[in-house]
């Protein structure tokens, strides 16, 4: 359940809007579901019209008007005469909060929303439950939002019955915590565990509205996928900068104060439509684990790599629209198909190393989840024209990586990297080959998801374990069904059953890969998975000996 708070304005204007048709005529059967007893007794639970809404607003506003109390806050406004921005005091006695469920959660009854609303205002300190005089308030319900979310609006007058003012300091954080408690108390889907500090960054209503209006994906989600795949596929920071631009993002650095050789952060944006301005997102806005300091924990730290990164960042800062890489690298090449098996084997080695990570080592599991999520994000970026099961798997898994900054630490030396596998999934040109290898790599990636799920089970995080279990059963199955069936070379039988993620790679599957590399026809190796990578002019091919950017 997500809270969305606004302050200020006129109570009459707010109530007329809540009783009205809505911006897209989405409001239906507007009515009260709760409120302080006097207002509810007077106006009841019938469908609201404009006159009733104004009468309710007048009742809510009565203590402020009769007692002559003003509640104001400092704000920046534009002077209508001069056009200059000035600081002034504006009215702030109206407090409005919407509580909404995810569309997938369905709808609650009026009675349940009424109980939730009453508990919410009690815990926010707006009622006599706080030991102070009541604030007048109502909860209005008017059907689903344009995105299908069941929700309720709570309007509160911040002047109490005795003329004192209700404080709103830190109200959003307080409301978030109360919502987590109410989720548990009322058996609702818990967004994430507040105590464990795991969770996604919130999407602002304006961002949701823009995506709905244009019929597109929320920009922050698309950018997260681009940045996540670029981060995991890159061997150093300079390559990361180039890959973000290669993935379609505009990039700009944030230099340390007074410096142009120390980068403290970055922002990314999608190319806007002609005439529009780009909307920039800092890495931390996309996800906790996509800040520059957090990503640097997985890259080498040397004078050479640092200088290479600064060169690329400087190039982007001159003109994000016209950025040209200073030192193009692996991202410009087509990987050698023979690398599929090598990188799949590395994921298998990673599974062995996972057994040594204690369940309580949150940083270690965060690195594992982040890398695996990056691989799925890269795969999605290459083959999914619109967000599909690969994108959803990446998002589900990435939540485990989003721990608090003080809990994070650099990736241990010697830990197997999935940068190679992610690079293959991001760049590979299938062209009738390699899809069987993708199916085999999928099995290994699924096993890492299963390991993360087992970790959450072991530490008692049933919600996250259940979510990842659904991911394996639903999203994994969709991806598997779009890839060639895995054919057992010796028996000739097609294995269409979902493989147990914890299983090892079938030894005979290596023969399938070898047969495909020799050009032999293997049943089921046609590619039903669309790819955005098409034939280009001759390109350099990365060979196994050059896979890390160095001769061996």
């Amino acid at each position: 359940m997500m809270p969305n708070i606004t302050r200020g304005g006129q109570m009459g204007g707010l109530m007329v809007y809540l009783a009205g048709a809505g911006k897209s005529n989405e409001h239906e059967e507007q009515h009260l579901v709760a409120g302080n007893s006097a207002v509810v007794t007077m106006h009841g639970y019938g469908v609201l019209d404009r006159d009733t809404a104004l009468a309710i607003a007048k009742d809510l506003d009565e203590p402020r008007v009769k007692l002559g109390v003003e509640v104001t806050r400092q704000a920046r406004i534009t002077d209508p005469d001069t056009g200059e921005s000035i600081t002034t005091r504006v009215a702030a006695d109206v407090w409005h909060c919407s509580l909404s469920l995810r569309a997938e959660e369905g709808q609650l009854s009026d009675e349940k929303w009424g109980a939730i609303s009453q508990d919410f205002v009690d815990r926010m300190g707006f009622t006599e439950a706080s030991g102070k005089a009541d604030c007048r308030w109502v909860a209005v319900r008017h059907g689903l939002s344009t995105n299908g979310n069941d929700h309720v609006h709570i309007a509160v007058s911040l002047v109490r019955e005795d003329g004192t003012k209700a404080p709103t300091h830190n109200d959003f954080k307080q409301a978030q915590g109360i919502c987590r408690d109410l989720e548990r108390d009322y058996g609702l889907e818990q967004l994430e565990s507040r105590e464990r500090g795991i969770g996604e960054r919130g999407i602002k209503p304006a961002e949701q509205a823009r995506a709905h209006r244009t019929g597109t994906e929320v920009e922050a989600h698309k950018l997260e996928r681009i940045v996540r795949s670029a981060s995991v596929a890159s061997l150093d920071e300079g390559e990361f900068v180039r890959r973000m631009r290669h993935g379609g993002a505009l990039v700009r650095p944030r230099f340390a104060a007074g410096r142009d050789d120390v980068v403290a952060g970055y922002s990314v944006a999608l190319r806007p439509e002609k005439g529009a301005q780009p909307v920039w997102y800092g890495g931390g806005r996309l996800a906790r684990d996509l800040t520059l300091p957090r990503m640097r924990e997985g890259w080498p730290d040397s004078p050479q790599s640092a200088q290479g990164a600064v060169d690329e960042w400087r190039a982007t800062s001159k003109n994000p629209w016209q950025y040209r890489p200073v030192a193009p690298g692996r991202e410009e090449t087509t990987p050698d198909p023979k690398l599929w098996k090598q990188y799949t084997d590395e994921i298998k080695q990673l599974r062995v190393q996972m057994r040594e990570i204690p369940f309580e080592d949150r940083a270690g599991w965060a690195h594992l989840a982040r890398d695996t999520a990056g691989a799925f994000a890269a795969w999605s970026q290459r083959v999914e024209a619109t967000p599909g099961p690969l994108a959803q798997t990446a998002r589900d898994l990435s939540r485990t990586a989003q721990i608090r900054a003080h809990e994070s630490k650099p990736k241990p030396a010697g830990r197997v990297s999935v940068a190679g596998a992610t690079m293959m999934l991001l760049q590979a040109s299938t062209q009738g080959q390699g899809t069987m290898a993708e199916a085999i790599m999928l099995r290994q990636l699924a096993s890492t998801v299963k390991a993360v799920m087992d970790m959450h089970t072991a530490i008692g995080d049933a919600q996250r374990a259940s979510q990842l279990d659904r991911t394996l059963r639903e999203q994994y199955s969709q991806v598997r069904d779009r890839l060639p069936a895995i054919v057992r070379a010796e028996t000739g039988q097609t294995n269409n059953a979902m493989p147990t993620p914890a299983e090892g790679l079938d030894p005979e599957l290596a023969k399938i890969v070898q047969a495909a590399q020799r050009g032999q026809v293997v049943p089921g190796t046609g590619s039903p998975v669309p790819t955005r990578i098409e034939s280009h002019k001759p390109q350099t091919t990365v060979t196994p000996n050059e896979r890390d950017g160095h001769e061996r």
Side-chain angles (χ1 to χ4, degrees):
M1 185 165 62
M2 288 294 296
N4 183 32
I5 295 171
T6 57
R7 310 173 192 86
Q10 299 294 319
M11 187 65 78
L14 173 61
M15 288 304 303
V16 167
Y17 167 74
L18 295 180
K23 296 179 180 179
S24 303
N25 294 317
E26 73 275 19
H27 296 175
E28 297 178 351
E29 296 186 8
Q30 303 88 323
H31 59 284
L32 300 183
V33 293
N36 60 288
S37 58
V39 174
V40 171
T41 300
M42 176 70 67
H43 300 285
Y45 299 99
V47 176
L48 297 176
D49 56 21
R50 178 183 175 86
D51 290 342
T52 304
L54 287 172
I56 291 174
K58 184 176 180 181
D59 287 345
L60 294 176
D61 225 10
E62 187 177 21
R64 181 188 69 83
V65 174
K66 278 191 172 182
L67 299 174
V69 179
E70 291 187 0
V71 181
T72 62
R73 63 181 176 85
Q74 186 170 289
R76 298 282 294 180
I77 65 172
T78 300
D79 188 310
D81 297 324
T82 65
E84 296 180 354
S85 179
I86 60 174
T87 300
T88 186
R89 305 294 298 184
V90 298
D93 56 277
V94 177
W95 192 86
H96 169 220
C97 179
S98 64
L99 304 177
S100 62
L101 304 179
R102 293 173 65 246
E104 293 81 357
E105 293 184 73
Q107 300 181 53
L108 304 181
S109 65
D110 279 355
E111 291 74 19
K112 195 163 189 176
W113 269 126
I116 289 172
S117 300
Q118 182 68 62
D119 275 352
F120 180 78
V121 294
D122 284 346
R123 300 182 196 194
M124 286 295 298
F126 294 138
T127 67
E128 288 182 339
S130 66
K132 301 177 182 178
D134 270 333
C135 290
R136 295 192 182 186
W137 67 279
V138 291
V140 179
R141 191 180 185 195
H142 52 201
L144 303 180
S145 69
T146 53
N147 292 325
N149 307 96
D150 191 17
H151 65 288
V152 66
H153 292 265
I154 297 174
V156 180
S157 172
L158 294 178
V159 177
R160 300 183 187 275
E161 296 284 2
D162 61 0
T164 58
K165 302 174 185 178
T168 58
H169 176 68
N170 215 22
D171 54 351
F172 182 69
K173 185 175 182 180
Q174 182 184 2
Q176 284 183 311
I178 291 170
C179 283
R180 300 295 82 78
D181 294 337
L182 292 174
E183 287 165 355
R184 286 191 294 270
D185 294 348
Y186 286 88
L188 303 176
E189 179 178 326
Q190 293 180 247
L191 294 183
E192 289 298 341
S193 172
R194 175 184 52 180
E195 291 78 8
R196 291 189 174 90
I198 298 174
E200 295 178 289
R201 294 306 196 199
I203 301 300
K204 294 182 178 179
E207 297 169 344
Q208 291 279 17
R210 184 167 57 248
H212 178 77
R213 184 174 63 254
T214 58
T216 59
E217 180 183 12
V218 172
E219 287 187 0
H221 290 172
K222 184 173 183 178
L223 285 166
E224 179 191 349
R225 199 157 56 251
I226 293 173
V227 173
R228 187 173 298 285
S229 59
S231 170
V232 177
S234 299
L235 296 175
D236 56 40
E237 191 171 328
E239 182 179 340
F240 166 65
V241 178
R242 298 191 298 270
R243 283 195 183 278
M244 283 195 292
R245 182 55 182 272
H246 207 264
L250 300 176
V251 186
R252 66 183 186 189
R254 187 179 76 253
F255 291 106
R259 305 287 295 270
D260 68 349
D261 59 346
V262 177
V263 180
Y266 71 99
S267 297
V268 290
L270 296 177
R271 285 183 176 273
E273 296 179 357
K274 187 175 181 179
Q277 293 296 315
V279 179
W280 293 93
Y281 295 82
R285 270 286 314 280
L286 300 177
R288 286 190 183 124
D289 64 315
L290 295 183
T291 62
L292 200 50
R294 189 71 63 83
M295 290 186 292
R296 282 171 172 163
E297 294 174 351
W299 294 323
D301 183 12
S302 69
Q304 294 81 8
S305 63
Q307 185 59 53
V310 168
D311 291 342
E312 299 294 354
W313 285 119
R314 281 175 176 165
T316 67
S317 68
K318 294 176 182 177
N319 187 342
W321 296 83
Q322 301 298 327
Y323 162 63
R324 294 184 181 279
V326 176
R330 309 187 308 162
E331 69 282 351
E332 301 291 343
T333 65
T334 299
D336 190 322
K338 295 180 181 179
L339 291 171
W340 278 109
K341 184 179 186 304
Q342 184 169 339
Y343 292 138
T344 299
D345 288 345
E346 288 185 357
I347 299 176
K348 191 174 182 179
Q349 294 171 28
L350 179 63
R351 289 175 51 199
V352 175
Q353 292 185 349
M354 283 159 33
R355 299 170 188 163
E356 302 174 1
I357 305 177
F359 286 137
E360 62 273 13
D361 182 1
R362 297 186 60 191
W365 286 102
H367 280 301
L368 174 67
R370 174 178 170 271
D371 287 354
T372 309
F376 280 106
W379 203 352
S380 169
Q381 191 174 337
R382 192 183 103 232
V383 304
E384 291 183 329
T386 57
L390 291 168
Q392 188 59 50
T393 300
R395 287 184 61 76
D396 290 344
L397 192 57
S398 70
R399 294 185 179 96
T400 298
Q402 298 177 43
I403 59 177
R404 301 291 186 186
H406 71 274
E407 297 172 315
S408 185
K409 58 186 178 183
K411 186 183 297 185
R415 178 72 53 81
V416 173
S417 171
V418 299
T422 305
M423 181 269 291
M424 289 295 291
L425 293 169
L426 185 62
Q427 292 180 238
S429 178
T430 55
Q431 298 175 348
Q433 298 180 4
T435 54
M436 182 62 71
E438 286 182 305
I440 297 171
M441 185 175 283
L442 174 64
R443 291 168 63 91
Q444 296 295 352
L445 288 171
S447 71
T448 66
V449 180
K450 175 65 163 58
V452 175
M453 183 184 79
D454 290 343
M455 178 274 294
H456 283 291
T457 300
I459 65 175
D461 190 352
Q463 182 203 350
R464 289 290 295 121
S466 176
Q467 184 181 53
L468 289 174
D469 181 59
R470 289 196 304 272
T471 296
L472 282 173
R473 295 180 183 278
E474 298 171 10
Q475 310 301 337
Y476 173 91
S477 297
Q478 291 184 54
V479 178
R480 180 209 62 203
D481 292 344
R482 289 163 55 186
L483 289 169
I486 297 177
V487 181
R488 297 181 179 276
E490 295 181 0
T491 64
Q493 297 177 346
T494 301
N495 176 17
N496 283 318
M498 177 179 173
T500 303
E503 291 178 0
L505 183 65
D506 298 331
E508 61 268 27
L509 293 178
K511 299 177 182 178
I512 302 298
V513 178
Q514 293 170 3
Q517 291 172 347
R518 290 194 300 268
Q520 297 176 356
V521 178
V522 180
T525 56
S527 177
V529 182
T531 175
R532 293 179 180 175
I533 298 183
E534 302 174 352
S535 298
H536 299 287
K537 295 179 180 179
Q539 294 175 304
T540 305
T541 298
V542 179
T543 65
N545 287 336
E546 298 170 334
R547 68 184 184 88
D548 296 328
H550 305 285
E551 293 285 350
R552 287 190 172 185

